């Protein structure tokens, strides 16, 4: 079997979808990171496609290394692994379809197929505490029983309004009660001392996990925060390869690792990062903001990791995006049930894809 075509399509919905077809008529689907979907689709169609057409789609690890090292000087900290992710996920989808097995089975077998999701609610920086409370209330109404609020400060707006962040977290805790896991994502927006001070107050409010407290590149600073606090500190959405995760673990030592399957080069690399996570006894709670293919790919890996028992990131059902699929992912009572159909378990409606294309 050979790869016949590789086609990435940038969508109006800020997603880049990859379709890989074989000379035997099997099509696999994948998704790239959403950071500038036109650039990503172009990277797949111009830099990666020539490396793939005519090759055996089942030699996934070999093709992954070819993609990485033949385009290495255009990466590997963003666009390159983000584009490779779309292809890699599509290759795993093909492998599933050829063997008739879901991807979690190909990864060693699923420990769970019904996965609790937490609602990841962003854009906190410009909001008032009341505005965030309303968003969280909507998430509870949608069935979520675990929440994360994200500030989206970024390292360039360091320590801008920590008192408002604390008022927001306090108000949300009051709304959800003590039993709902509630996490806080500073999005790299604190200095080390502010992060530690805030973290101690969050701990009094029973915070579930404290995400990216300081600048993503400050591994020594992350370690200071990790050492000072009891709460689990997470990082990893800005690391892309197992080598970067090795350095993150050895230098910053966060409690929770958050690779993103649409950023870190796809399922092939994420499973290797999962092995590191397991080896160093870290919790494995991937970053994920793409509610269809990205979420499905991430959950297939999570399903096959014995210790990945924590609620997983979900930005909520997108009814518009779901219309792209013949049978979309099912979200009910705060959980997603992974389909046991071959591959990812998702099938694209090509007519809808054309309507969504940029
Ligand atoms: Ca985050």
């Amino acid at each position: 079997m050979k790869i016949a075509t590789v086609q990435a399509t940038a969508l109006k919905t800020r997603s880049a979808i990859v379709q890989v077809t074989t000379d035997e008529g099997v099509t696999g689907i994948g998704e790239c990171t959403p950071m500038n979907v036109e650039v990503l689709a172009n990277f797949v169609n111009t830099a990666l496609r020539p490396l793939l057409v005519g090759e055996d789609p089942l030699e996934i690890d070999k093709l992954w290394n070819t993609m990485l090292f033949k385009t290495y000087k255009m990466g590997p900290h963003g666009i390159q692994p983000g584009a490779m992710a779309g292809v890699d996920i599509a290759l795993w989808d093909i492998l599933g379809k050829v063997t008739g097995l879901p991807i979690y089975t190909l990864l060693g077998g699923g420990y769970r197929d019904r996965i609790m999701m937490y609602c990841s609610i962003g854009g906190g920086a410009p909001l008032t505490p009341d505005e965030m409370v309303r968003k969280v209330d909507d998430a509870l109404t949608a069935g979520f029983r675990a929440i994360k609020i994200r500030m989206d400060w970024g390292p360039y707006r360091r320590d801008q309004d920590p008192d408002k962040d604390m008022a927001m977290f306090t108000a949300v805790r009051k709304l959800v009660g003590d039993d709902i896991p509630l996490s806080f994502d500073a999005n790299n927006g604190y200095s080390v001392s502010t992060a530690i001070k805030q973290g101690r107050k969050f701990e009094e409010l029973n915070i579930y996990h404290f995400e990216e407290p300081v600048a993503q590149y400050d591994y020594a600073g992350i370690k200071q925060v990790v050492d000072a606090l009891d709460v689990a500190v997470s990082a990893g959405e800005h690391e892309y390869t197992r080598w970067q995760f090795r350095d993150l673990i050895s230098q910053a030592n966060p409690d929770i690792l958050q690779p993103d399957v649409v950023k870190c080069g796809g399922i092939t690399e994420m499973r290797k990062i999962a092995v590191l996570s397991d080896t160093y006894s870290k919790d494995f709670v991937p970053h994920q903001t793409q509610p269809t293919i990205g979420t499905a790919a991430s959950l297939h890996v999570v399903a096959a990791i014995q210790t990945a028992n924590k609620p997983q990131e979900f930005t909520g059902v997108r009814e518009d995006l779901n219309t792209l699929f013949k049978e979309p992912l099912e979200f009910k009572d705060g959980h997603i049930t992974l389909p046991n159909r071959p591959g990812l378990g998702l099938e694209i409606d090509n007519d809808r894809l054309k309507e969504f294309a940029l």
Side-chain angles (χ1 to χ4, degrees):
M1 187 163 55
K2 303 265 183 264
I3 294 173
T5 65
V6 176
Q7 181 63 45
T9 309
L11 306 187
K12 295 167 193 157
T13 48
R14 200 171 166 254
S15 31
I17 304 296
V18 177
Q19 292 171 294
V20 177
T21 57
T22 74
D23 58 358
E24 295 179 12
V26 182
T27 299
I29 58 170
E31 179 168 12
C32 304
T33 177
M35 306 302 157
N36 198 325
V37 293
E38 285 166 300
V39 171
L40 282 146
N42 262 311
F43 195 101
V44 171
N45 293 336
T46 60
L48 300 182
R49 180 193 285 153
L51 305 172
L52 298 161
V53 171
E55 299 298 322
D56 181 346
L58 303 187
E59 297 193 316
I60 302 177
D61 204 71
K62 204 186 276 185
L63 292 176
W64 194 92
N65 278 314
T66 299
M67 289 192 285
L68 184 79
F69 291 110
K70 295 274 185 183
T71 64
Y72 192 75
K73 290 180 182 177
M74 289 184 279
H77 293 80
I79 294 293
Q80 185 215 25
M84 286 172 57
V87 172
D88 180 81
I89 294 166
L91 295 177
W92 279 94
D93 193 33
I94 289 173
L95 179 61
K97 284 172 175 158
V98 168
T99 56
L101 297 169
I103 289 171
Y104 60 75
T105 302
L106 297 168
L107 294 173
Y111 288 94
R112 60 197 77 78
D113 62 2
R114 188 168 178 269
I115 294 168
M116 185 173 179
M117 308 302 287
Y118 72 78
C119 191
S120 180
I121 305 171
L127 298 184
T128 64
D130 280 350
E131 285 166 337
M132 182 58 88
V133 162
R134 282 198 283 280
K135 285 176 181 279
V136 173
D137 203 27
D138 289 344
L140 297 177
T141 304
F144 284 101
R145 288 299 174 267
I147 304 285
K148 178 175 84 187
I149 56 171
R150 313 195 311 259
M151 297 305 107
D152 293 320
W153 287 120
Y156 54 95
R157 292 186 289 187
R158 183 157 74 180
D159 292 345
Q160 196 143 311
D161 202 347
D163 289 342
K164 190 200 74 177
D165 293 351
M166 192 55 62
M168 188 178 279
F169 189 84
T170 306
V172 172
R173 174 53 88 198
K174 192 168 164 224
L175 172 77
V176 302
D178 287 333
D179 297 335
I180 292 218
L182 174 62
S183 300
F184 182 88
D185 186 348
N187 293 106
N188 320 102
Y190 294 152
S191 62
V192 170
S193 59
T194 299
I196 293 170
K197 274 192 278 187
Q198 294 282 93
R200 287 187 183 129
K201 293 180 196 166
F202 289 139
E203 285 173 344
E204 287 170 21
L205 294 164
N206 193 26
I207 185 175
Y208 189 68
H209 89 260
F210 189 7
E211 183 160 328
E212 293 205 296
V214 301
Q216 66 270 29
Y217 42 76
D218 182 9
Y219 285 5
I222 299 170
K223 184 162 191 307
Q224 277 179 276
V225 177
V226 169
D227 288 345
L229 298 176
D230 294 327
V231 59
V233 172
S234 69
E237 68 176 88
H238 292 96
E239 279 70 26
Y240 300 87
T241 62
R242 60 192 180 280
W243 304 292
Q244 291 164 28
F245 274 90
R246 171 201 59 196
D247 295 344
L248 179 72
I249 294 167
S250 63
Q251 295 170 39
N253 196 32
D255 303 281
I256 299 173
L257 300 185
Q258 300 176 296
D260 185 324
V261 74
V262 302
K263 296 165 81 175
C264 76
I267 290 169
T268 296
E269 192 67 355
M270 186 138 115
R271 69 190 300 215
K272 294 176 183 175
I273 295 163
V275 170
L276 271 180
S277 174
D278 203 25
T279 306
Y280 287 93
S281 297
K282 302 300 181 187
D283 275 319
F284 188 74
V285 187
H287 177 262
Q288 188 49 243
T289 60
Q290 302 308 101
T292 61
I293 298 174
T295 290
S298 192
L299 293 184
H300 274 280
V301 178
V302 162
I305 306 296
Q306 188 173 25
T307 51
N309 291 313
K310 291 204 154 140
Q312 296 292 318
E313 182 161 36
F314 191 43
T315 48
V317 174
R318 283 277 303 273
E319 298 293 353
D320 56 340
L321 283 174
N322 273 352
T323 65
L324 269 172
F325 302 93
K326 288 166 188 166
E327 291 175 273
L329 281 179
E330 184 192 294
F331 174 76
K332 206 176 161 210
D333 300 329
H335 293 70
I336 288 178
T337 302
L338 264 183
N340 58 8
R341 298 183 287 271
L344 287 170
L346 291 174
E347 208 65 58
I348 289 252
D349 179 330
N350 275 314
D351 293 331
R352 290 293 293 161
L353 187 70
K354 283 187 195 117
E355 291 167 31
F356 275 82
L358 271 173

